[in-house]
Each structure stands twice: as structure tokens, then as C-alpha cells.
Amino acid sequence: MKVEALSDAQERLAALQAAVASAGRDQAIVAGLKDASPLVRQNAIALAARYLAPEVLAGFLADDEDAILRNAAQAALERQGPHAISHLLCLAHGPNHEVAFFAVQILSTINDASAKQALLPLLDHADRNIAQATVEALGHMRATEAVPALIRLLAGDPWLQFAAASALGKIGDARAVNSLLERLDDELLAEMAVEALGRIGDAAGLLPLLDRLVSSDRLPLRDQLLLAVAAILEHNPGLRGLPARARLWQPDVRAGLADYLGGLLAMHDTTLARSAGVLVVHAELWDLMPALLARSPDPGEECWLEGMLRRCRRRAQAELLPLLRHPDPRVRAGTLLHVPF
């Protein structure tokens, strides 16, 4: 910003702050909401949230000609929080679909528990944009009361299926697991269903996802399957890897998976490499341990790997002790650092 422009903006800001104590306060705040300077607008938004009624701010949501004013009013309503909820709910159920859409988005940002039940009927709104915004809002709000309706939407309007699967993952309720597993054959929805199952983390999803991980060689679906399997294993430490070992110790299965996991362990993608490491440790895929131990650990990864190996330390000691004589010095160093002898 040029010096002259900054000076002008500071003058307008000073005038706005001075107007707070005057009879023209509300008009000055509205003018500030439309100001070209972000500095002035941000201060006007804070003042609007404090001094202007929700009904006044909501009136600007329908202003198609002044997007700056509309966005500023939306930000002010978000700041008002619970004070604005009752009026926003009226708008969300009102006849103006554009305003209803904005109202649902604002309610999602406010994220107050009192709005969850009132939003449920909007999942079946005739306007699909409002219905989708409601799905996304209830997912963001982690509204467990919406789970049955969201499960129903998984098999309903294709426009809403993707948003419903994502919302179910964010809510994290195990009631959705079976319905999400049923969508794994859906070409368009499979990746989001897998991601949601990983976020839910319920053990019931482990074996079906493992089977898909073994049989699928299609990317990026296979990567998503690995991330979900690792998330479930980490979420359920009591499993101790037994289901994973039962599946992955079969010779024909291991032969097809080893190259994939080994390639990930050599990558710079920390998230995928760590997920591969979780599966290697839980399933005790000893032939892949050198690749895991040779990795240059990212910050915090040392504690994670040592903790993982500690869970199976009795078996790990016998299998990994020979790695202290491995020809690769990185493997020897990783073994000394991470294996709980």
C-alpha cells in the first residue's frame, strides 16, 4: 500500500472510531464495512458485531451488487456467534435461497450445539446447494444426531453423496461404517468412503479395507486405503496387528504388497511413508523393516517408531537383532536408535 493510500485509510479509520460515540454510529459502521481498505473494514466488522443487530447485518447478505459489504456482514455475523443464531435459523428456513445458503454457512462457522437439531430438516431442502451446505455444516459441527439422515443420503442424490460421506467421516460415528463399506465399489465415491472410514477409525472397517489394499493397484485409491488402514490400526492399539498379520502373511499377498510399501518407505511423502511404517510394524513384515529403519526420521518420528516397535518388542528383538550387522549403516543406526532391545 502506498504511503498516501495508507494515510487516507488511517484518516478514515480514525473517523470511524470517533463516530462510535456519535449519533451517526450505525451509518459510519456500515460505510466502514464497504470501505476499500482492509484495515478499515476489519475494524468496522468488529464494531458491527458489537453494535449492529443481526437483523441489520443479515439484510446485507442479499446484496448482490456489493460483494464487499456482503462478505463483511457475513464476517460480522460470525463474530456475533450465539447472539445471531436465532435470526440466522429463520433465514436458513426462509424463502430467499441465496440468503439461506449464506445463513447455513455462517451457522457452520459459529458451530453452536443449539443449531444442530434445527438444521436437520434442511438436509432435504429442494435447493441442492442449501442441502449440500447443510450436510457440510453438520459434518463440521460433528452432529451425531445427523448420522441416520446422512447415511440415507449415501444412497440418495448423487449430488449429495460425496458431501455426506465426508461429513460422516468428520463426525466419526461407528454407525456409518457398514454403509460406507457398501460404497467401496462405487467408482466415484470409493475414495471419499475410504477416507471417511479411516477418520472414523472403527476396527470393523479394518479387514475389508486390508482386502482392498491387497487387491487394488489403482492410484490414488490404493494410497487412500493405506492411510485408512494405518489410521484404524493406530486408533485401535488393542488389535496388536493380529488381523493385519492374518491377511498379510499369506505369501501370495505379501509378494504383491511388498514393492508398493517398500516404494513408499523410500519416498519423501512423510504421511504415506509413516502409514506404510504403521502397517509394516503391525503386520510384522520383517523383510521391510530395513527400509523402515533406514529412513531419515522427520521431527517427532523417532518417538513414534520406537513406540510402535515397543508394542511388539519381544518378537521384534529376535527378528531385528541381526540388523545390527546389516551392510547399510543407515539400517544399523536406525536399529540402534529405535529398536527397544
Side-chain angles (χ1 to χ4, degrees), residues 96-158:
N96 187 321
H97 289 183
E98 184 177 19
V99 172
F101 176 80
F102 287 125
V104 171
Q105 287 188 320
I106 298 168
L107 287 165
S108 175
T109 302
I110 295 173
N111 194 7
D112 190 274
S114 63
K116 295 178 183 178
Q117 195 69 39
L119 284 174
L120 290 180
L122 296 179
L123 291 171
D124 297 310
H125 200 286
D127 187 307
R128 290 192 297 180
N129 289 323
I130 296 175
Q132 180 174 341
T134 304
V135 170
E136 293 169 353
L138 290 168
H140 176 71
M141 299 163 80
R142 297 187 175 181
T144 55
E145 52 266 67
V147 168
L150 292 172
I151 290 174
R152 171 175 53 81
L153 291 178
L154 282 178
D157 188 340

Side-chain angles (χ1 to χ4, degrees), residues 281-326:
V281 173
H282 270 273
E284 298 179 6
L285 301 175
W286 307 119
D287 51 331
L288 289 173
M289 286 291 184
L292 177 58
L293 292 168
R295 281 183 55 79
S296 297
D298 295 294
E301 193 171 342
E302 302 96 330
C303 297
W304 162 78
L305 183 53
E306 183 177 349
M308 290 285 294
L309 290 171
R310 193 173 296 280
R311 295 176 189 170
C312 59
R313 60 183 178 274
R314 292 182 181 177
R315 292 182 296 275
Q317 288 177 5
E319 295 289 341
L320 301 182
L321 186 61
L323 295 182
L324 291 172
R325 298 189 298 271
H326 197 279

